[in-house]
Amino acid sequence: MLNGAPLWAIGGERLFLDITGVFRNPLGRKLFQFAASRMEARTGQVMKTLASDERFGEVHTPILKIGKAVLRGFARTRAPVTLAKALANPEAVPSRIMSKVDEAIALSQVPEGSSPSAYVDAVERMLRQGAGKFVTTALPSLAGALVSMLLMRRALGDSITEEDVHTLLRSLPNNPTTEMDLELWHLSRRVGIDEASRNALMGEPPAELAKRYREQALPGVLQRELDAFLEQWGARGVAEIDMGVARWRDDPTHILGSLANYLALGDDALAPDAAFARGAEEAEKMAAELAKRARERGLVQGKVGAFAVNRVRRLLGAREVPKFGMVRMVAHARELLLEAGKGLVNEGKLQTADDVFFLDIPELRAVVGGKNMQAVIAERRLRRDREMGRKHVPRVLLSDGTEPEVSLASDLRANGLSGTPASSGIVKGKARVVLDPVGAKIDPGEILVAPSTDPGWTPLFLTAAGLVMEMGGSMSHGAVVAREYGIPAVVGVPNATAAITTGQMIVLDGGAGTIVVE
């Protein structure tokens, strides 16, 4: 909606990050490769191959110039102070970040029934003035988790294994996504004991129930419980960083389908909250064991190790807090823009309220001023519909249009696939390939195979026995949540949704990063 910095480029109606300048800088290249290897492993592999491409020769920047820029940034954002606060009091990190979200949203308050221009102004205030303070609080706070992880590995040396790390990262506290999922499970148990609510969920299609919800016509217990859930979590949705996508509070079909699926499991199903509690107990035992190992390596290593292990668990769960905060702002901006759209429809300047999502801020202001943009909107709708059918989106794209990943040989085994280990454990079960989580159902014991996931997918994790993703790295969203639920996971698996079909029996080894198709 706002004009982006030159750092961004658009391809196929999607935003791409232009990393040319960063990648040609020696330090920038190392940092980007480090981040990519953990957040999106296949991208990390592509970066390794491009490092030897003569078109990306390194351009050295004087260390003094870099140092001055970093110091100016630290002085402006007070990032070191924020980092120190996060390390000193990790439990306060979520509330500190969310307070900045609340402040940003408060900047966008506008009287009901205001002019379309006033709503557009409110969105711009929130994104231009409020979002910056949110970012400068969120990023240094999250850096505390990375610093803690590095300190922990340094203190423990070769006495810590990746399997130890996976165990330590189970059932992390301070994660709003897992809190949301567990609350949804508890909601299903509460409405399940109400006969009218249970009958409605088990007997009517989710889309029809969503219509009844909007009409305030659901059975009383279900209506009340769903209202409370959406009051807290209704800003979320599948593909939730897209402002044009409906939120769960707009259309709770997906949530109602998840509730019906949970009820169908019966009361004897393995309760996710109990599994989560067991995971937390195992993780705390591992934390104590790692602290003990660190002490055995020396006095300094012992103190640093114990501190770092504790902070890893307390801070890494908060990784999802900034994402939830950003989604809350996106959802609020969506509401404001829809109000602007309604006003413009009443004035005869737009055909539908959601036309606003096909225009940027300057174009919206032009429409407010009387400019006819209907031909532009119609053409962009057609392009959007066409792009939604695209089956493959490159992770990395060069300026000449080539996709470097194509030249990489896939690591195919005789009867299986491999990727990045994300959550240790071995599980055998039937595959369930899901391309769209809305309406999807995962039976207990099935292994979810997906192109990628975001928080909108995670209600499916509660019943999945394992996870395979085409995208992601060890610190990507799906990997983090899988570890928290204690389900084996392998991510960054090329063509997994095409190579595996629903119903096939597969063996997933989350520690080795392999999937064997039987």
Side-chain angles (χ1 to χ4, degrees):
M1 297 299 299
L2 295 173
N3 287 334
L7 188 63
W8 299 101
I10 296 177
E13 306 307 303
R14 295 168 174 84
L15 283 176
F16 282 79
L17 182 67
D18 185 353
I19 64 165
T20 306
V22 172
F23 195 66
R24 296 188 70 182
N25 179 275
L27 178 60
R29 178 176 297 189
K30 290 179 181 178
L31 291 174
F32 188 85
Q33 288 180 321
F34 176 81
S37 66
R38 285 153 179 79
M39 300 304 298
E40 221 301 291
R42 288 167 61 188
T43 297
Q45 290 296 319
V46 174
M47 293 298 103
K48 287 183 180 179
T49 65
L50 291 180
S52 59
D53 191 317
E54 61 183 14
R55 291 173 296 178
F56 297 100
E58 293 184 348
V59 176
H60 291 268
T61 303
I63 295 296
L64 184 59
K65 184 176 181 180
I66 295 175
K68 287 181 178 179
V70 170
L71 289 175
R72 284 197 299 269
F74 283 169
R76 185 175 66 254
T77 63
R78 303 185 74 242
V81 175
T82 304
L83 171 60
K85 287 181 178 179
L87 291 170
N89 187 7
E91 300 301 332
V93 167
S95 60
R96 187 178 297 120
I97 293 173
M98 281 303 171
S99 70
K100 298 304 178 184
V101 176
D102 294 336
E103 291 173 11
I105 291 175
L107 289 171
S108 65
Q109 297 305 309
V110 59
E112 187 176 350
S114 294
S115 67
S117 181
Y119 285 111
V120 175
D121 289 343
V123 171
E124 196 160 18
R125 279 197 308 274
M126 180 177 67
L127 297 183
R128 288 196 184 279
Q129 299 176 30
K133 294 180 180 179
F134 159 73
V135 170
T136 56
T137 298
L139 293 185
S141 297
L142 290 188
L146 177 60
V147 170
S148 299
M149 181 69 78
L150 293 174
L151 287 173
M152 180 183 75
R153 290 184 179 275
R154 180 63 62 88
L156 284 156
D158 58 7
S159 65
I160 184 172
T161 67
E162 287 306 308
E163 188 169 347
D164 293 336
V165 174
H166 288 178
T167 301
L168 179 69
L169 299 183
R170 289 192 62 182
S171 305
L172 292 170
N174 301 323
N175 187 332
T177 300
T178 51
E179 290 171 4
M180 175 191 74
D181 293 338
L182 292 173
E183 173 55 26
L184 187 61
W185 173 264
H186 289 306
L187 192 159
S188 74
R189 302 300 98 178
R190 293 195 296 271
V191 300
I193 61 176
D194 177 69
E195 184 176 2
S197 298
R198 187 181 186 90
N199 289 341
L201 285 166
M202 300 302 292
E204 298 181 46
E208 177 60 29
L209 291 173
K211 179 175 179 292
R212 289 180 60 188
Y213 171 76
R214 290 188 288 269
E215 295 169 350
Q216 297 288 296
L218 289 175
V221 173
L222 180 56
Q223 185 79 40
R224 183 175 66 252
E225 291 284 355
L226 190 54
D227 273 337
F229 180 84
L230 295 177
E231 175 66 26
Q232 184 172 6
W233 305 109
R236 309 222 77 151
V238 178
E240 59 193 4
I241 61 173
D242 185 341
M243 199 176 292
V245 171
R247 311 288 110 181
W248 283 341
R249 67 167 61 104
D250 303 326
D251 181 6
T253 300
H254 182 39
I255 294 301
L256 288 159
S258 296
L259 289 173
N261 290 341
Y262 294 163
L263 288 179
L265 297 178
D267 293 332
D268 58 345
L270 179 63
D273 53 352
F276 190 85
R278 283 198 298 273
E281 184 178 350
E282 292 173 9
E284 292 298 339
K285 287 181 180 178
M286 178 56 68
E289 169 61 23
L290 293 176
K292 176 177 174 290
R293 292 181 199 172
R295 287 194 296 271
E296 291 172 351
R297 291 171 59 87
L299 179 62
V300 174
Q301 290 95 326
K303 290 187 177 298
V304 171
F307 176 86
V309 166
N310 177 276
R311 271 29 182 197
V312 164
R313 278 198 55 76
R314 269 64 196 168
L315 288 172
L316 201 57
R319 169 193 182 280
E320 293 285 313
V321 175
K323 172 71 181 300
F324 182 43
M326 180 179 70
V327 166
R328 284 184 56 204
M329 288 189 283
V330 167
H332 188 63
R334 172 183 167 82
E335 293 174 0
L336 294 171
L337 289 171
L338 283 173
E339 289 300 318
K342 292 173 185 177
L344 291 169
V345 169
N346 292 335
E347 295 174 6
K349 296 174 179 176
L350 291 179
Q351 291 183 357
T352 64
D354 68 349
D355 283 348
V356 295
F357 300 123
F358 294 90
L359 301 170
D360 60 27
I361 292 292
E363 289 170 338
L364 264 178
R365 295 200 185 283
V367 171
V368 170
K371 184 176 181 179
N372 188 330
M373 299 286 289
Q374 286 304 138
V376 172
I377 293 169
E379 194 270 335
R380 289 176 181 173
R381 280 187 181 275
L382 286 174
R383 291 210 310 255
R384 189 276 308 270
D385 293 342
R386 181 186 68 232
E387 285 298 327
M388 290 298 289
R390 186 182 290 276
K391 297 184 183 299
H392 173 68
V393 179
R395 286 165 180 73
V396 181
L397 196 62
L398 303 185
S399 57
D400 61 4
T402 59
E403 182 183 1
E405 188 180 13
V406 172
S407 63
L408 294 179
S410 296
D411 186 9
L412 295 175
R413 303 185 184 272
N415 59 340
L417 301 165
S418 67
T420 299
S423 181
S424 61
I426 300 174
V427 63
K428 179 179 180 179
K430 289 183 179 180
R432 174 74 70 170
V433 179
V434 178
L435 302 180
D436 183 349
V438 178
K441 179 181 179 181
I442 305 292
D443 290 329
E446 290 186 326
I447 297 172
L448 172 62
V449 182
S452 63
T453 65
D454 64 17
W457 284 72
T458 53
L460 297 176
F461 284 35
L462 292 183
T463 52
L467 171 69
V468 177
M469 286 200 317
E470 292 183 336
M471 296 184 68
S474 61
M475 294 304 298
S476 61
H477 170 267
V480 170
V481 178
R483 285 194 295 268
E484 294 200 18
Y485 289 146
I487 61 175
V490 180
V491 301
V493 183
N495 304 313
T497 59
I500 301 171
T501 58
T502 293
Q504 281 185 312
M505 190 66 69
I506 64 176
V507 179
L508 184 159
D509 187 332
T514 60
I515 305 101
V516 175
V517 182
E518 295 192 338

